[in-house]
Amino acid sequence: RLNLYETPGFNMALLLGCLLIFLSMLPVALIRFIRNRRLSGDRKPASPNAHVGQLLILGISVLNLLFVAGFMLWAMPLSVLHPIALVFKIVLGLGVLSAVLTVGALVHTVLAWKDGYWSVSFRTYYTLATIATVAFVWFLNQWNLLGWRY
């Protein structure tokens, strides 16, 4: 018998949920950038930590999306005919970099709630995105895709 977290249904739902959050980060970041440009004279400037936190979660989301895209391209039938390519080693490195940066996202999540960065709705969204990054790191580790274990 498999544990719940080992079943294909759970893993696919987890992966799709994480990917949806990572994809949603792109338009959210764009909208926030445009809004902040338009309202920059009306409000006090955001904390440097808040800005770093936004860039960090956006970067992690992009890295994770690139990891999935690179993995899917490498996993195509033609690519398995070749030995492990340098490109795939780089793709696996994206997962490692994302895992390391996830620690920073966790720290910024705590700081966002402690210091009151952003609105409550964006802090909640940021927290959800951070949970998705942690879940994605767990997913990569579960499937031996975290690092160069081949």
Side-chain angles (χ1 to χ4, degrees):
R1 287 192 54 109
L2 295 176
N3 293 320
L4 174 66
Y5 63 86
E6 295 174 322
T7 61
F10 176 83
N11 280 278
M12 289 310 295
L14 178 69
L15 178 63
L16 289 175
C18 289
L19 290 177
L20 285 174
I21 291 171
F22 299 149
L23 284 170
S24 73
M25 186 58 70
L26 302 175
V28 167
L30 180 64
I31 289 167
R32 287 184 63 82
F33 175 76
I34 291 170
R35 193 191 77 197
N36 288 341
R37 284 286 177 186
R38 289 180 43 204
L39 300 176
S40 63
D42 300 339
R43 299 182 305 155
K44 66 177 185 163
S47 161
N49 281 341
H51 187 67
V52 169
Q54 285 179 321
L55 291 176
L56 184 63
I57 202 72
L58 176 63
I60 292 170
S61 296
V62 169
L63 284 173
N64 289 339
L65 291 170
L66 288 173
F67 176 88
V68 171
F71 185 80
M72 296 308 280
L73 288 173
W74 184 84
M76 289 181 168
L78 293 177
S79 63
V80 295
L81 299 176
H82 303 290
I84 296 176
L86 176 64
V87 173
F88 189 63
K89 291 177 184 179
I90 293 170
V91 168
L92 291 173
L94 294 176
V96 172
L97 180 58
S98 171
V100 169
L101 292 176
T102 296
V103 175
L106 286 168
V107 169
H108 278 281
T109 300
V110 172
L111 290 175
W113 286 101
K114 180 182 155 284
D115 297 339
Y117 305 157
W118 315 307
S119 65
V120 172
S121 61
F122 188 71
R123 278 184 274 171
T124 304
Y125 178 71
Y126 189 91
T127 303
L128 182 64
T130 302
I131 291 169
T133 63
V134 171
F136 192 73
V137 169
W138 177 86
F139 177 85
L140 293 179
N141 190 53
Q142 174 73 13
W143 289 95
N144 290 329
L145 294 172
L146 189 60
W148 297 271
R149 298 185 252 177
Y150 42 83

